Amino acid sequence: MANKPKIKGAEALLLSLIAEGTDTIFGYPGGQVIPIYDHLYHFTDRINHILTRHEQGAVHAAQGYARATGKVGVCLVTSGPGATNLVTGIADAMLDSTPLVCITGQVPCSLLGTDAFQEADTISMTMPISKWNYQVTQASEIPSAIARAFYIARSGRPGPVVIDISKNAQVEEFDFSYKPCIYLRSYKPHPELDLTLIDQAVQMINAADKPLLLVGQGVKLANAESKLLEFAEAAGVPMASTLMGISAVPNNHPLFVGNLGMHGNLAANEMTQRSDLIIAVGMRFSDRVTGDVKNYAPNAKIIHIDVDAAELNKNIKVDLPIHADAADALEAMKRGISYKDRSKWMAVAAENNKKEYEDVVLPSTDPQGEYISMYDVISTLAEVEKGNAVIVTDVGQNQMFSARYSKFNQTRSFITSGGLGTMGFGLPAAMGAKLGVPDREVVAIMGDGGFQMTMQELGTIMQNHIGLKMIVLNNTYLGMVRQWQQLFFGKRYSFTQLENPDFPSIAAAYGIANRRVERLSDLKAAIQELADAPGAYFLEVDVLPEENVFPMVPAGASLSDTICKE
Amino acid sequence: MVKEYIVIAFTENQIGVLNRITALYLRRKINIESLKVSESSIKGISMFVISAFTTQEIIEKLVRQLRNIVEVIQVEYYSDDELITQEIALYKISSKIVRESGMVDMIIRSWNARIIEMNPSFVVVEKTGTREEIENLRTELETRKVLLEFTRSGSVVLHRESMENTLNQL
């Protein structure tokens, strides 16, 4: 047997990433990762490295890529500030169960703990916000660390993994061989399905008059979308979505009743309160979904299916917790289910949709046809894109309008920072999503505040010719905080007004096609132009400065106390 | 109701696991009263004994989150009456006790302790027992103004039923 030549840790890292199916890395070079970048130079045929303009952009792009594709997002940054700049994205990925492998450089192991130049204790800093992390200080550890990183990131409830690699490990030579990780004795990501619990669930569902399925992102993460629809159709049970679950169920599905929570639809929230049986799948009863937990779903028994046992009985006491993968549970439940006509129950949805349309939607559009509501922008975009686009949002009013009025025909089409609510997420995440699904239309919807947190990524879009469509809803305010100040803080707009630059000029400076619209009559043509653009396109829409998102469940209030107007 | 709960965790003996575990207590702002980590009866597997005051509702949620740590193999929580618990304590006592009649005898016989070092300036006494027994001796010595220094271990525990049965399958 011929002796294989020894290779350096840096090359071993890239070969390990390729072995795990990585084709795209979002990164930013720096002193402690130069050896990795040196090898990357020779791997451009196999790895598409995207140079972002800030490490935060790299991690959000990796998140967008992961959320759009279902694959593990990978980012690569240097030690110290490179690593600290990832922290927001790692925390975001942790709360939103996004599979990431974040590779950070580290000072040589002989200098660990000495306050060396660009040394930061990345392991300690990322420990509580990552699913797992590990520090590599010898080249020989690299293959097994990467193998475990991918296995842990993508299995069970996915999440971010941080691998911190000291510089000496990048340059040491060793005999490389790669073996994927498929088992760790202390880690059981795939729970065994307890069929007695499934039987109990089926009996409860068959007996229920007003059941409601709550669909969370877990359905997407388990690739259980079609199993969910088959189950819901077989049972005749309506479905409502959490913010993170949006697009798992097509909007036009006859059993879909809308979105849950603080800015959800009246129908979904009202049906939660009237339901006699909630079947929650792959969601975690976030406070934004439940409102006041004491008055949540007061008439319902609750079945909660989740792959993460720590979520069961965490926020809401449930009657039947089922620790299971969503796909396994939905498939098993379908077997015993019997169809029940629940048209009377579904009529509650229709009645609330009518009320919401009259109280909230209809008054949104300016009858004079002059001023532009955020509703006009999102609903026009949905009409033009026919529900086929991937919508990536920033955080705030732009996010809630996008969630409320976008339309989706296929899954993994709504990408948003749900748990952490990270402003600045939208642009880089959308960039990553577009690189992940280049054949799909991807539109980033941002506010003027959030856009300015990461707008340097326009440079990444320019350099890599990323055909991303961007819409900035400019109301010259940090709109969501302003809304709270208006409604709950006596209209004291404390530091929420922004004096903005000429956004189209900024896009123009990056060579990106651009336009601004100020009048409703110009909106549709502008959005059509955006959709028709062959490459990147930037649209600023000047919207009503003091528009609010309704309906709204005020923080801490019960879902029954939804408000529809000021 | 807030009371003492003892969490017993078996984990891979790897770097960082202690921080991951204590970070979950920190996050919920629960103070750890005592903590003992050592190798379990199985090589490569560490046993953690962590005692803290909290409610049953919180400890249950916390334990489920502890189970999510990748390196954690098994975690359970107990109230102290479910466990056989012993601590060890060392008492540095002024050597004047040697001159007081009956004092050494009292410590050794009535308190079931033993002398492990003796020199002209102090005597070191070792005692194992429940936390209460250890605290009682401490109070006694303090009252007599002879206690110079005091240290004690965290709890060493065994469940009345076997905890490591499931681990043996590994």
Side-chain angles (χ1 to χ4, degrees), chain A residues 132-133 185-186 308 312 314, chain B residues 12 20 61 68 70-71:
Chain A
W132 188 64
N133 65 14
R185 67 176 177 179
S186 60
D308 180 357
L312 304 171
K314 186 181 85 176
Chain B
E12 296 290 353
R20 282 173 212 283
K61 290 177 184 179
N68 269 358
V70 168
E71 291 89 350

Side-chain angles (χ1 to χ4, degrees), chain B residues 79-149:
Chain B
S79 54
D80 57 355
D81 53 358
E82 290 174 273
L83 297 169
I84 302 162
T85 310
Q86 291 279 287
E87 289 195 25
I88 181 168
L90 301 178
Y91 306 78
K92 190 194 274 183
I93 306 169
S94 158
S95 60
K96 71 184 181 198
I97 61 160
V98 180
R99 296 186 293 274
E100 280 181 42
S101 91
M103 186 84 162
V104 174
D105 198 53
M106 182 278 290
I107 291 168
I108 293 174
R109 284 186 211 278
S110 340
W111 290 95
N112 208 10
R114 67 189 185 107
I115 293 173
I116 57 171
E117 192 177 320
M118 198 183 240
N119 61 44
S121 47
F122 59 82
V123 178
V124 176
V125 166
E126 174 211 285
K127 169 169 176 53
T128 56
T130 62
R131 189 179 305 165
E132 196 186 1
E133 288 163 354
I134 281 168
E135 281 299 312
N136 286 347
L137 175 56
R138 181 187 182 181
T139 312
E140 171 87 33
L141 295 169
E142 275 172 348
T143 318
R144 290 169 184 264
K145 299 193 169 33
V146 291
L147 188 64
L148 302 175
E149 274 180 61

Side-chain angles (χ1 to χ4, degrees), chain B residues 40-53:
Chain B
S40 70
S41 58
I42 298 162
K43 204 172 160 36
I45 294 182
S46 301
M47 181 186 184
F48 285 67
V49 180
I50 308 161
S51 119
F53 286 87

Side-chain angles (χ1 to χ4, degrees), chain A residues 36 77 156 272 296 325 396 422 425 434 476:
Chain A
I36 300 172
V77 302
T272 301
Y296 179 74
D325 175 83
T422 305
F425 173 86
K434 179 66 184 174
T476 70

Side-chain angles (χ1 to χ4, degrees), chain A residues 116-133:
Chain A
F117 178 65
Q118 293 195 328
E119 183 190 4
D121 185 357
T122 304
I123 292 295
S124 293
M125 277 189 298
T126 59
M127 186 173 285
I129 53 165
S130 61
K131 187 174 173 188
W132 188 64
N133 65 14

